[in-house]
Amino acid sequence: MRIGIVVHGPNIIDSGYALKLIDLLKGYGDVKVRLGGTMGRTAVIDASLENLIDISRKLVPSDSLKIFHDDGVDVIFLLNYGKSDVTGQVFGYKVYNHYIEKIDDNSIPVIQIERPGEDDGSIIPWNNDLDLVFELSDKLGLDIVKPEEVYERHIRQDNAGLNQRIVHGVSPGENIMVNSVVIGKTNSDRLTLIAKDNHIVDIVGGELKSHGLEKLGEVDLDSAIIKTGLLRHAKVTPRVISNEKPDEFKVTFLDHAGEDVYKFRDSSLVITVGDDTTLISSDILYRFDIPVIGITDGDLDKVVEDGFKVNNSIIFEVESGFDDIIGQNIKREIFNGKAESLDFKNIDEVENKILEIIKNINCNYKINYIE
């Protein structure tokens, strides 16, 4: 068989089950593997699996499934390790439905393996009744859950209104991220987001963060990527890959946390704006030995367990609400509408220019040097 495997998220990789399942499926035929999602990329790098799992493109899981569909494989597997059986099965339902909206012929079997090794782990044959499902269920000790069971248990209530979305598997005190922007915090184990005219206007089971909603702007609540809690749970030792440095000192600007941070891996220095953006991007760029200059205002929502930063990175903490203002001034004065700047010889010159920008708007600040 020609087997396509889509691996989603860091948890299935950090647990070791991604590699175990890939090795198992190799016994059934020719296997090709690619990542679906963004946060799993650092986990792939840390596990030295980038030669096995294709992370070359930033793709949502349904697009990764579609690539295998277009390649004409015989079966597609989706490997995931959700926070609970509910979150994992709902995730699979949404991915599968986004996938079938993108294809003309739904004849290729799609099988999800969810939370392997857990008591509530499952295998879900989304569009098939293959003997392979029963064989893998027996080998892995996973219950077979039919698609109609997922719908009846977890999905049906989501259709109560077009502008409501129930988020499953949450716990009190967790950050709520919509399309990589933190928009609030949970205060219950039941969460519903409510939108009007493509803007989130209310929440049940949590508290909204107005500054986050401003950053988020318009959003399609049905297709939005929503996460709660930590983006990566495992305590890890990051693996640093030595990149070939550019001949000139290349400075780039990271606009928001939802951007593809990996496209900045040929930079000498990356300027980041916002606490969460700086935390996430510096943690990823650490793998490529790239320092950051972060503009923050102390409004940090912990979205990763440890935020690694390269030595010589500089973090400016400014008055509340001024980080975005300073960021726009930096974008205008340093980059002048361009994606990069080659006007500086080193990080000290960039620091001095940013200090000039901050002082010109009469904003209080303090500087943290990473050593």
Side-chain angles (χ1 to χ4, degrees):
M1 284 195 299
R2 293 166 298 163
I3 302 170
I5 302 175
V6 176
V7 177
H8 174 259
N11 295 335
I12 190 73
I13 300 163
D14 291 336
S15 69
Y17 272 100
L19 185 56
K20 291 177 183 177
L21 292 170
I22 292 167
D23 286 342
L24 174 64
L25 293 172
K26 281 180 178 178
Y28 291 91
D30 180 32
V31 165
K32 291 186 178 179
V33 193
R34 65 175 58 252
L35 192 73
T38 301
M39 289 307 298
R41 290 165 100 175
T42 52
V44 170
I45 290 170
D46 290 342
S48 300
L49 294 175
E50 63 267 31
N51 291 328
L52 177 62
I53 302 174
D54 185 350
I55 59 171
S56 60
R57 298 170 63 187
K58 181 186 179 183
L59 297 166
V60 296
S62 57
D63 283 340
S64 292
L65 265 67
K66 183 179 183 297
I67 287 175
F68 283 128
H69 172 275
D70 294 344
D71 286 346
V73 299
D74 297 307
V75 61
I76 303 172
F77 282 88
L78 174 62
L79 311 184
N80 188 58
Y81 208 115
K83 288 169 60 181
S84 69
D85 61 330
V86 177
T87 57
Q89 291 169 14
V90 170
F91 160 79
Y93 176 90
K94 292 184 180 296
V95 169
Y96 175 70
N97 279 277
H98 287 315
Y99 158 72
I100 61 176
E101 289 172 356
K102 300 174 181 179
I103 60 174
D104 296 324
D105 174 19
N106 191 26
S107 61
I108 298 175
V110 176
I111 301 168
Q112 179 177 347
I113 298 179
E114 179 61 42
R115 288 172 61 82
E118 300 287 348
D119 291 340
D120 59 4
S122 58
I123 184 166
I124 309 166
W126 284 111
N127 59 349
N128 62 90
D129 196 21
L130 297 178
D131 290 340
L132 178 61
V133 173
F134 296 91
E135 187 174 331
L136 291 173
S137 169
D138 184 57
K139 282 186 176 181
L140 297 169
L142 298 176
D143 291 336
I144 298 174
V145 175
K146 296 295 183 68
E148 53 268 26
E149 294 179 63
V150 177
Y151 179 82
E152 289 298 324
R153 289 180 191 171
H154 312 308
I155 303 298
R156 192 155 55 95
Q157 64 268 36
D158 281 0
N159 298 325
L162 292 176
N163 296 323
Q164 293 191 30
R165 180 158 164 189
I166 296 173
V167 183
H168 298 275
V170 304
S171 299
E174 292 183 329
N175 294 314
I176 306 164
M177 294 189 73
V178 178
N179 292 345
S180 300
V181 177
V182 176
I183 59 104
K185 193 175 286 288
T186 61
N187 58 22
S188 170
D189 59 1
R190 298 179 64 85
L191 177 66
T192 303
L193 298 178
I194 302 168
K196 181 179 180 181
D197 298 328
N198 286 333
H199 287 83
I200 294 175
V201 295
D202 201 0
I203 188 173
V204 177
E207 297 179 2
L208 290 175
K209 179 179 176 182
S210 58
H211 188 47
L213 292 176
E214 290 173 9
K215 285 187 175 182
L216 178 64
E218 288 195 9
V219 61
D220 179 350
L221 200 55
D222 182 57
S223 62
I225 298 172
I226 301 174
K227 300 179 184 291
T228 61
L230 296 173
L231 296 178
R232 190 175 182 186
H233 297 270
K235 287 275 191 179
V236 299
T237 301
R239 172 172 163 245
V240 178
I241 299 174
S242 295
N243 268 3
E244 185 175 337
K245 300 297 183 183
D247 294 333
E248 297 180 273
F249 193 79
K250 178 179 175 181
V251 185
T252 51
F253 184 83
L254 179 60
D255 217 353
H256 55 82
E259 280 195 76
D260 184 1
V261 180
Y262 290 84
K263 72 182 181 182
F264 296 95
R265 59 188 293 177
D266 65 342
S267 303
S268 306
L269 170 71
V270 179
I271 299 174
T272 61
V273 178
D275 293 76
D276 301 313
T277 300
T278 298
L279 180 68
I280 295 170
S281 58
S282 64
D283 185 68
I284 293 172
L285 293 169
Y286 182 92
R287 273 78 180 172
F288 308 112
D289 195 29
I290 300 172
V292 303
I293 292 183
I295 313 299
T296 70
D297 67 356
D299 185 22
L300 177 64
D301 299 291
K302 191 175 181 182
V303 291
V304 292
E305 187 65 49
D306 297 304
F308 295 96
K309 296 178 179 67
V310 171
N311 288 344
N312 299 323
S313 293
I314 302 170
I315 308 299
F316 285 90
E317 185 174 333
V318 299
E319 291 181 58
S320 178
F322 275 83
D323 54 344
D324 287 335
I325 297 170
I326 294 167
Q328 290 305 309
N329 286 358
I330 288 172
K331 198 172 183 180
R332 182 176 62 252
E333 296 187 31
I334 292 180
F335 296 95
N336 192 27
K338 299 177 182 177
E340 61 187 53
S341 171
L342 301 174
D343 296 337
F344 301 92
K345 293 185 177 65
N346 52 54
I347 192 172
D348 295 329
E349 290 187 3
V350 182
E351 177 191 2
N352 290 333
K353 178 60 179 178
I354 292 176
L355 275 171
E356 177 188 314
I357 291 171
I358 292 174
K359 290 175 179 178
N360 283 342
I361 63 172
N362 196 26
C363 172
N364 292 322
Y365 67 92
K366 64 180 182 181
I367 306 177
N368 296 312
Y369 295 97
I370 308 301
E371 298 177 350

